[in-house]
Amino acid sequence: MNITIIGATGMTGKALVNEALMRGHHVLAIGRSLEKLAAGKDSQQLMTIAKDVFALTKADLADSDVIVDAFASSPDQAYLHVDLATKLIAMFRGAKQRLVFILGAGSLKTGEDHHLFVHDMEQNPKVQAIIEVPRNQFAELTFLRTVKNVDWVGVSPSINFHPGAATELLLGKDELLFNEKGVSETSAGTMAVAILNEIEKPQHPKERFTVADR
Amino acid sequence: MNITIIGATGMTGKALVNEALMRGHHVLAIGRSLEKLAAGKDSQQLMTIAKDVFALTKADLADSDVIVDAFASSPDQAYLHVDLATKLIAMFRGAKQRLVFILGAGSLKTGEDHHLFVHDMEQNPKVQAIIEVPRNQFAELTFLRTVKNVDWVGVSPSINFHPGAATELLLGKDELLFNEKGVSETSAGTMAVAILNEIEKPQHPKERFTVADR
């Protein structure tokens, strides 16, 4: 398939490019510092566009079967997560392309009362500096859930989302996952495997799912 | 003030242009068939731009203090209500401009159980042809309610929204309004008066209000 990765130089983006190439897909990588990405890669399956994501046009993405939004803003412009999602949705209304949005753990539910995990984050002084990111990723999901004529899917990692190779997967829908040791974490490699699985065999049309390291 | 009306040739747009000019504001009218609009008007306070609303740039709107989105799509492209709102919000993140969005009655609550009026519309065979309009206007409001760094306000009319001069106003917030005769209606003139009142003296920052004919 032709898979476009927006934000290809970020933690998730890099893992996605590697996983997609390994599975034999054609990859279009979009990001700012693509020298980093292309270095060490000698794949005829990889094309790159160095461009501000907000300057992307429908023509740039016309050959894509699937577009993965792995864009990550700085915390002081966290609303850009929402703005890129709304831009991509407007661009692909009624189109055949599938759009994959990487969301945070904040929009997952947790506890016996199924409260949003972002509310726990709001009580945690350590995450105040980045709190607008989960808030805006929840706004992004809230927006996506109103969209009926685009083939979208959202994916959330667990609490501790970190670099690393894939492990066995633990999959869920809207509840925050913990493994048998009580740990809630997802490696970028695990995330990439879960997303490529979903791309190759869609299981979650117009909904969000979540993945953790088992 | 400098007030821009997007969708200036529609029922609400025309009433807004007239009301704003009458109150001495500078009006920038944006629409497709502006000959109609300009005909009969000889006001130095009125400027026009004939342009597809999705081709509007921030530069087109740079001199505006307030931008009113009175755009109305055809029912088969009702998602354009959402796409224009998300475009305008992305355009004015953190900016000083005030954005006014005209929403439908469908997103108002009604009955003892405070259900959404759009659910009543979904049960009414007469409105099936246009049902995507209230659904998308509710999606538009759902999106707007997640927006924290733009000075937006939403306005909903009552059930029967029709051409006509202003009457006395009946104002509310999120509940569908009925007058003393049990009628739920809003004339375009009443809508224009309520919106110009809100523009001149903001009462509803980052929320939606509703207006009916008394």
Side-chain angles (χ1 to χ4, degrees), chain A residues 68-206:
Chain A
V68 184
D69 176 1
F71 169 79
S73 77
S74 63
D76 62 333
Q77 291 191 303
Y79 57 84
L80 293 179
H81 286 104
V82 176
D83 292 349
L84 183 58
T86 61
K87 176 189 163 79
L88 291 170
I89 289 292
M91 200 178 267
F92 290 102
R93 291 284 191 184
K96 63 175 184 8
Q97 279 85 354
R98 191 153 201 239
L99 271 56
V100 183
F101 295 91
I102 298 176
L103 306 162
S107 58
L108 293 165
K109 294 175 186 171
T110 192
E112 286 183 12
D113 62 348
H114 305 281
H115 64 274
L116 287 170
F117 180 60
V118 67
H119 296 322
D120 291 351
M121 298 175 83
E122 284 167 345
Q123 307 304 318
N124 181 349
K126 289 183 190 166
V127 294
Q128 288 319 296
I130 59 96
I131 193 68
E132 287 303 324
V133 174
R135 281 183 181 148
N136 277 279
Q137 288 178 318
F138 177 54
E140 182 179 353
L141 177 60
T142 300
F143 164 74
L144 289 171
R145 284 173 167 157
T146 70
V147 174
K148 306 299 178 198
N149 63 349
V150 177
D151 186 13
W152 65 270
V153 55
V155 192
S156 287
S158 300
I159 298 177
N160 181 14
F161 187 32
H162 56 73
T167 69
E168 273 190 85
L169 309 187
L170 206 56
L171 291 168
K173 291 186 82 167
D174 286 319
E175 296 283 332
L176 187 61
L177 296 174
F178 292 83
N179 66 19
E180 282 181 1
K181 289 175 230 145
V183 176
S184 178
E185 66 177 349
T186 307
S187 71
T190 297
M191 181 60 124
V193 167
I195 290 174
L196 266 295
N197 289 352
E198 175 67 24
I199 287 172
E200 293 178 346
K201 192 176 173 190
Q203 302 282 317
H204 298 281
K206 297 192 186 84

Side-chain angles (χ1 to χ4, degrees), chain A residues 10-33:
Chain A
M11 178 180 79
T12 319
K14 278 189 280 194
L16 282 165
V17 170
N18 289 339
E19 184 69 23
L21 289 175
M22 202 185 70
R23 296 192 189 198
H25 296 289
H26 292 261
V27 174
L28 174 61
I30 299 174
R32 277 170 298 193
S33 44

Side-chain angles (χ1 to χ4, degrees), chain B residues 41-60:
Chain B
K41 296 235 183 308
D42 182 26
S43 171
Q44 297 194 337
Q45 305 277 101
L46 177 65
M47 291 180 61
T48 60
I49 299 182
K51 198 169 186 175
D52 173 13
V53 295
F54 289 94
L56 282 173
T57 65
K58 201 169 176 177
D60 290 329

Side-chain angles (χ1 to χ4, degrees), chain B residues 8 27 30 64 99 102 104 116 140 143 147 153-154 158-159 181 193:
Chain B
V27 174
I30 298 173
S64 308
L99 271 55
I102 299 176
L116 287 170
E140 182 179 354
F143 164 73
V147 174
V153 55
S158 300
I159 298 178
K181 288 174 231 146
V193 168

Side-chain angles (χ1 to χ4, degrees), chain B:
Chain B
M1 299 174 88
N2 290 332
I3 301 175
T4 293
I5 316 290
I6 298 176
T9 53
M11 179 181 78
T12 319
K14 279 188 279 195
L16 282 165
V17 170
N18 289 338
E19 184 70 21
L21 289 174
M22 202 185 71
R23 295 191 189 199
H25 296 289
H26 292 262
V27 174
L28 172 62
I30 298 173
R32 277 170 298 191
S33 45
L34 288 166
E35 318 76 50
K36 282 189 221 163
L37 182 79
K41 296 235 183 308
D42 182 26
S43 171
Q44 297 194 337
Q45 305 277 101
L46 177 65
M47 291 180 61
T48 60
I49 299 182
K51 198 169 186 175
D52 173 13
V53 295
F54 289 94
L56 282 173
T57 65
K58 201 169 176 177
D60 290 329
L61 305 173
D63 294 332
S64 308
D65 299 304
V66 178
I67 295 143
V68 184
D69 175 1
F71 169 79
S73 77
S74 63
D76 62 333
Q77 291 190 301
Y79 58 82
L80 294 179
H81 286 104
V82 175
D83 293 349
L84 184 58
T86 60
K87 176 187 163 82
L88 291 170
I89 289 291
M91 199 178 268
F92 290 102
R93 292 283 192 186
K96 63 176 184 10
Q97 279 86 353
R98 191 152 202 241
L99 271 55
V100 183
F101 296 91
I102 299 176
L103 306 162
S107 57
L108 293 165
K109 293 174 186 170
T110 191
E112 286 184 11
D113 62 349
H114 305 281
H115 64 275
L116 287 170
F117 180 60
V118 69
H119 296 323
D120 292 351
M121 298 174 83
E122 285 168 344
Q123 306 304 318
N124 182 349
K126 288 184 191 167
V127 295
Q128 288 319 297
I130 59 98
I131 193 68
E132 287 303 323
V133 173
R135 280 183 181 148
N136 277 279
Q137 287 178 319
F138 177 54
E140 182 179 354
L141 177 60
T142 300
F143 164 73
L144 289 170
R145 283 173 167 158
T146 70
V147 174
K148 307 299 180 198
N149 63 347
V150 177
D151 185 13
W152 66 270
V153 55
V155 192
S156 288
S158 300
I159 298 178
N160 181 15
F161 186 32
H162 55 73
T167 69
E168 274 190 84
L169 310 186
L170 208 55
L171 292 167
K173 290 185 84 167
D174 286 317
E175 296 283 332
L176 187 62
L177 295 174
F178 292 83
N179 66 18
E180 283 182 357
K181 288 174 231 146
V183 175
S184 179
E185 66 176 348
T186 308
S187 70
T190 296
M191 182 58 125
V193 168
I195 290 174
L196 266 293
N197 290 352
E198 175 67 25
I199 287 172
E200 293 178 346
K201 193 176 174 190
Q203 302 282 317
H204 298 282
K206 298 191 186 86
E207 62 183 26
R208 184 269 306 275
F209 69 98
T210 184
V211 58
D213 289 0
R214 185 178 288 276

